[in-house]
Amino acid sequence: MKNPLSLSQKLSFLAACFFTVVAPVIGYLTIGIAPVIIVGGSALIGLICWSLTYLKKPVEPRIILPLFILTVAGLQIHIVEEYLMGFAPAMSRLFDIPWSEKSFLMVFALIGPILYTLTSLGLYYKIPIAGFVAWFIFIGPGVAEFTHFIFPLITPDLLPHDPHPLTAAIAGTRIPDMPNFYFRTTRHYYFPGMWTAVLPMIPGCLAIYRLLIKNKPV
């Protein structure tokens, strides 16, 4: 007989469902369809995996916490490369979306580390919702970072054959110096974040393997 979910587990499930719906909607309204696919997809897959694993039985901190910390550490190094090489304006040119560097830094460099720190504390105390955040990070940076290797092959929505940086207003937001990384135009296979994309992917994918298949410490 299955044990019924506790009040904490039920509230955590409702909070995770709320995030899975609201975050992509906010991303769509403020930036465009790209966040719906990336954030929404990662959140939905993470929600399903978390519901089948950590929500029912929180994993011992010694199993999940080191891999989570390694994943977010790799992610922060990855974000440094993205910022230095112009990831947000490059995405703006690629998908015709108003993604400014200010919003990029606010979410990934300022708010993100606060969330990661609180999640680490939650994983230590086996708080259910912390497991959802961890799964979301494992699926996003853990798996979705492979998209950096696809972006150079996608035709940009804005002046794809012009190799020079572009400054334009998108949906009322002025985005300066949007670089073009389209491979057919630049003949250089690169997109901001590509060099360090594997750093969060390795511990993230290992965490998924352990939580779904092995589920035991080293």
Side-chain angles (χ1 to χ4, degrees):
M1 183 177 180
K2 296 182 179 180
N3 295 325
L5 296 179
S6 66
L7 178 60
S8 175
Q9 290 171 311
K10 292 178 181 178
L11 292 176
S12 294
F13 182 75
L14 291 176
C17 290
F18 179 80
F19 174 85
T20 302
V21 173
V22 172
V25 171
I26 294 176
Y28 176 74
L29 294 176
T30 56
I31 299 179
I33 192 64
V36 177
I37 298 174
I38 299 174
V39 177
S42 298
L44 180 59
I45 297 173
L47 176 67
I48 295 172
C49 294
W50 169 70
S51 301
L52 297 174
T53 56
Y54 197 96
L55 178 62
K56 294 181 178 179
K57 185 179 179 181
V59 179
E60 290 296 322
R62 67 181 184 276
I63 296 175
I64 191 173
L65 187 52
L67 289 172
F68 177 76
I69 293 174
L70 288 173
T71 301
V72 297
L75 176 60
Q76 289 306 109
I77 297 173
H78 172 62
I79 289 171
V80 170
E81 182 196 346
E82 288 185 328
Y83 171 69
L84 291 176
M85 303 305 292
F87 177 78
M91 290 288 284
S92 294
R93 183 165 185 170
L94 187 62
F95 296 111
D96 192 14
I97 56 177
W99 197 356
S100 65
E101 287 191 338
K102 180 180 178 181
S103 62
F104 173 83
L105 289 175
M106 181 62 67
V107 173
F108 293 104
L110 299 176
I111 297 177
I114 297 173
L115 180 63
Y116 307 150
T117 302
L118 294 176
T119 300
S120 298
L121 186 62
L123 292 174
Y124 180 80
Y125 287 106
K126 299 183 180 180
I127 298 174
I129 191 62
F132 167 73
V133 178
W135 262 109
F136 174 71
I137 298 299
F138 293 149
I139 295 295
V143 177
E145 293 295 346
F146 79 89
T147 54
H148 283 73
F149 300 95
I150 299 176
F151 288 150
L153 303 176
I154 300 176
T155 305
D157 286 339
L158 301 177
L159 300 181
H161 303 298
D162 184 351
H164 301 97
L166 171 68
T167 297
I170 303 176
T173 301
R174 182 177 180 274
I175 309 296
D177 300 324
M178 292 181 285
N180 187 358
F181 290 96
Y182 185 36
F183 175 71
R184 290 189 176 182
T185 298
T186 65
R187 296 301 174 183
H188 179 56
Y189 189 76
Y190 175 75
F191 198 85
M194 180 184 291
W195 293 333
T196 55
V198 297
L199 294 182
M201 288 177 66
I202 294 173
C205 292
L206 180 58
I208 293 172
Y209 169 73
R210 288 188 181 170
L211 292 173
L212 282 182
I213 302 174
K214 203 171 183 180
N215 196 19
K216 65 180 182 179
V218 177

